[in-house]
Amino acid sequence: MDAAEKRVHTFVRVKPTADFAQDMIKFGPDNKSIDIHIKKDAKKGVVNNRQTDWSFRLDGVLHNTSQELVYETVAEKLVSEALTGYSGTIMCYGQTGAGKTYTMTGATAEYKHRGIIPRALQQVFKATAHSVRVRISYLEIYNETLVDLLSTTTRSGTSDVPMAVVDCPQGVYVKGLSIHSVSHEEDALNLLFEGETNRAIAEHTLNKNSSRSHCIFTIYIESRFRVFSDVKCVNSKISLIDLAGSERLSKTRSEGQVLKEAMYINKSLSFLEQLIIALADPKRDHMPFRQSKLTHVLKDSLGGNCNIVLVANIRGEAAHVEETLSSLRFATRMRWITTEPVISETYDREGTVKALEKEIILLKQELALHDSLVNRSLVTYDPLTDIQKAEIKSQVHKYLKGAIDEIDKSPQSEQWIHLQPDSQGQGEGNSPSVWIPSKWKAESSQSEIFETAQLTRA
């Protein structure tokens, strides 16, 4: 994996508009750069040191592009690698009303306008086999409160399990978040649309259906493979993040509850930006993941062991050029983050035991067939009994002492008797009873028998 693949990939999507500021926003000939130019304000006098030109280098600019092309450019490769075990994260960031939710979820009116999430589900179910298990969850972070969008309880209801972000050796997970197994694309889409109806939205000056929360749709993929006698499990997940848009209160003119929501949104996005700055700095030791619920939940998604793609959604009107600059700066910082995707592999112990038991049965059948072909007498391949093990140990002991010249190859043919210690102290009173070969009884005294049995146990 080369250096270009070890960093976050960033793309910019420009919302179509009839009032596009062509004199202020210019795209590079390779569609991988954006230049912003703002004319100096003559009212501020001759001496004006305010910056007027900016240039941003990205992995791609998506302007007047279809939903299909956006998916092919942004998500298709990431989803393909997730099917082989590499986790991935796609995040939409930008100001309010810039088209983040449309990019991530799409429009339900027309099939061709579906977004990244429905298309990712389609790709996953087209590629998966019967040995692949797919599960999904849908989490909302509303005013620093975790909400399960697929829960049976309503927003005002109380859940039996309080939701919380928990750290564990395998990463972070949300305690109380429901995860649903799905076998078909249709089942997954039904859950997606169910979660969409539970999202918090509101209206303000810049957006009639403004998302008032951050939402994370996660696809969990578990694949099982047979590697010799072991059953290997490869686990990956695709985190699809639709962030709430940053808002300037002077433009949205929010009041009441919408104003309170805007304050929480801007605060959490500020913490996210601080985290991105820290992740992009190779000299930083501490990463502020715990500053907010959003950054804590995204610890695994942004921590560096998965593929990460950012889509910065911007508006092309001159009135929003300051917000556009802010989104492009964020994308530039994200681009400096390096990643080292790894495959998460585990071995199913229970499955391994069952596979080994099945293999033993097959090997016994093969040995029995071989014996019949060479006209050997019937030989059992069952595990040795405790009596047979004791006889073999005793023969080895005698052989080492020189008492016998060779070890009997068929100990199962011996006759055995059960010997108890006598009341006169032969063998010691605290010695347990022993099973011995019948010929021992004739060849040795009882004290010698018990002495040999104790040596055999040792």
Side-chain angles (χ1 to χ4, degrees):
M1 189 175 287
D2 58 27
E5 292 179 328
K6 286 187 176 181
R7 59 171 176 76
V8 175
H9 292 268
T10 58
F11 298 87
V12 170
R13 189 177 192 186
V14 186
K15 184 178 181 179
T17 176
D19 300 323
F20 185 77
Q22 297 183 357
D23 57 334
M24 301 176 68
I25 303 175
K26 302 288 185 181
F27 304 128
D30 58 353
N31 264 347
K32 290 188 176 182
S33 63
I34 296 181
D35 296 325
I36 308 290
H37 172 72
I38 301 177
K39 293 181 180 180
K40 286 191 175 183
D41 190 354
K43 295 180 181 179
K44 294 189 177 180
V46 178
V47 180
N48 184 358
N49 295 325
R50 184 180 178 185
Q51 185 176 351
T52 59
D53 295 281
W54 295 262
S55 183
F56 300 94
R57 186 73 181 171
L58 306 148
D59 291 288
V61 177
L62 306 170
H63 183 46
N64 292 329
T65 52
S66 64
Q67 292 280 70
E68 182 179 4
L69 182 57
V70 169
Y71 182 78
E72 291 174 355
T73 306
V74 170
E76 190 171 32
K77 182 181 177 182
L78 182 143
V79 175
S80 296
E81 293 189 353
L83 292 168
T84 63
Y86 292 97
S87 295
T89 300
I90 302 176
M91 183 165 63
C92 286
Y93 176 92
Q95 76 172 112
T96 182
K100 297 180 299 299
T101 301
Y102 178 76
T103 299
M104 191 59 71
T105 307
T108 56
E110 290 190 48
Y111 183 71
K112 67 178 182 179
H113 290 157
R114 66 196 189 282
I116 291 176
I117 296 177
R119 292 175 187 271
L121 290 171
Q122 183 183 46
Q123 183 179 347
V124 167
F125 281 101
K126 273 188 176 180
T128 53
H130 296 292
S131 59
V132 177
R133 182 187 181 195
V134 180
R135 298 176 297 156
I136 62 174
S137 66
Y138 208 173
L139 174 68
E140 179 184 56
I141 303 176
Y142 174 77
N143 290 358
E144 278 299 290
T145 303
L146 301 173
V147 179
D148 185 357
L149 292 176
L150 301 180
S151 174
T152 54
T153 59
T154 61
R155 182 180 298 278
S156 59
T158 56
S159 174
D160 295 335
V161 182
M163 298 184 67
V165 185
V166 179
D167 287 282
C168 66
Q170 292 75 29
V172 297
Y173 72 96
V174 179
K175 180 182 177 182
L177 178 65
S178 62
I179 302 177
H180 303 259
S181 295
V182 286
S183 303
H184 303 91
E185 179 187 351
E186 183 180 357
D187 299 333
L189 289 175
N190 287 336
L191 288 173
L192 169 63
F193 297 142
E194 177 186 337
E196 287 294 306
T197 59
N198 294 328
R199 289 185 63 171
I201 60 173
E203 180 179 354
H204 55 66
T205 308
L206 298 180
N207 192 355
K208 287 195 216 177
N209 298 305
S210 174
S211 300
R212 314 311 296 162
S213 60
H214 310 297
C215 292
I216 304 171
F217 187 90
T218 307
I219 306 172
Y220 305 88
I221 304 171
E222 180 183 316
S223 305
R224 290 174 177 266
F225 304 94
R226 180 71 181 270
V227 180
F228 299 106
S229 299
D230 295 327
V231 178
K232 183 172 72 173
C233 299
V234 177
N235 300 285
S236 62
K237 67 177 181 178
I238 306 171
S239 301
L240 304 168
I241 307 164
D242 179 14
L243 297 173
S246 58
E247 300 181 9
R248 285 181 181 265
L249 301 181
S250 59
K251 292 184 177 181
T252 60
R253 300 173 187 173
S254 302
E255 297 178 349
Q257 181 65 21
V258 179
L259 174 61
K260 179 182 177 182
E261 292 166 349
M263 293 172 63
Y264 274 104
I265 291 170
N266 290 339
K267 184 178 180 181
S268 62
L269 290 175
S270 176
F271 286 138
L272 176 62
E273 188 164 2
Q274 292 176 25
L275 173 63
I276 297 305
I277 293 172
L279 289 170
D281 185 358
K283 297 180 181 179
R284 285 285 294 267
D285 294 328
H286 172 70
M287 300 302 162
F289 284 110
R290 291 175 174 268
Q291 288 193 112
S292 69
K293 296 285 178 60
L294 175 64
T295 54
H296 199 179
V297 168
L298 297 182
K299 184 176 180 179
D300 287 345
S301 302
L302 300 177
N305 61 350
C306 64
N307 295 308
I308 306 174
V309 174
L310 172 74
V311 180
N313 295 86
I314 64 173
R315 303 182 69 160
E317 297 91 348
H320 303 294
V321 68
E322 291 184 4
E323 288 83 357
T324 295
L325 283 170
S326 176
S327 298
L328 292 173
R329 290 191 189 102
F330 182 87
T332 302
R333 295 188 185 105
M334 280 286 291
R335 202 163 182 257
W336 285 102
I337 298 176
T338 57
T339 63
E340 293 182 4
V342 295
I343 296 179
S344 175
E345 295 179 346
T346 58
Y347 288 89
D348 184 3
R349 293 183 179 179
E350 184 178 350
T352 301
V353 170
K354 290 181 180 179
L356 289 172
E357 290 175 346
K358 185 178 179 181
E359 187 174 352
I360 289 171
I361 294 173
L362 293 174
L363 289 172
K364 285 182 178 179
Q365 293 174 352
E366 185 178 346
L367 287 171
L369 178 62
H370 180 268
D371 291 340
S372 64
L373 291 175
V374 297
N375 295 322
R376 287 181 60 183
S377 59
L378 183 62
V379 179
T380 60
Y381 295 101
D382 294 326
L384 295 176
T385 63
D386 292 338
I387 295 174
Q388 292 171 330
K389 291 178 182 178
E391 180 185 356
I392 292 172
K393 287 182 179 180
S394 68
Q395 288 194 50
V396 170
H397 181 66
K398 286 185 175 182
Y399 177 79
L400 293 175
K401 292 177 68 174
I404 58 176
D405 294 332
E406 63 178 14
I407 298 174
D408 187 1
K409 296 180 181 178
S410 55
Q412 64 269 22
S413 61
E414 282 280 6
Q415 297 296 321
W416 290 74
I417 60 174
H418 191 215
L419 186 64
Q420 298 278 358
D422 61 25
S423 58
Q424 298 179 0
Q426 296 293 340
E428 301 197 4
N430 58 355
S431 298
S433 61
V434 294
W435 284 89
I436 62 169
S438 57
K439 63 182 180 180
W440 283 21
K441 183 69 175 172
E443 296 174 356
S444 307
S445 66
Q446 188 163 338
S447 60
E448 291 175 336
I449 291 172
F450 277 97
E451 181 183 355
T452 303
Q454 289 173 359
L455 287 171
T456 302
R457 289 194 184 94

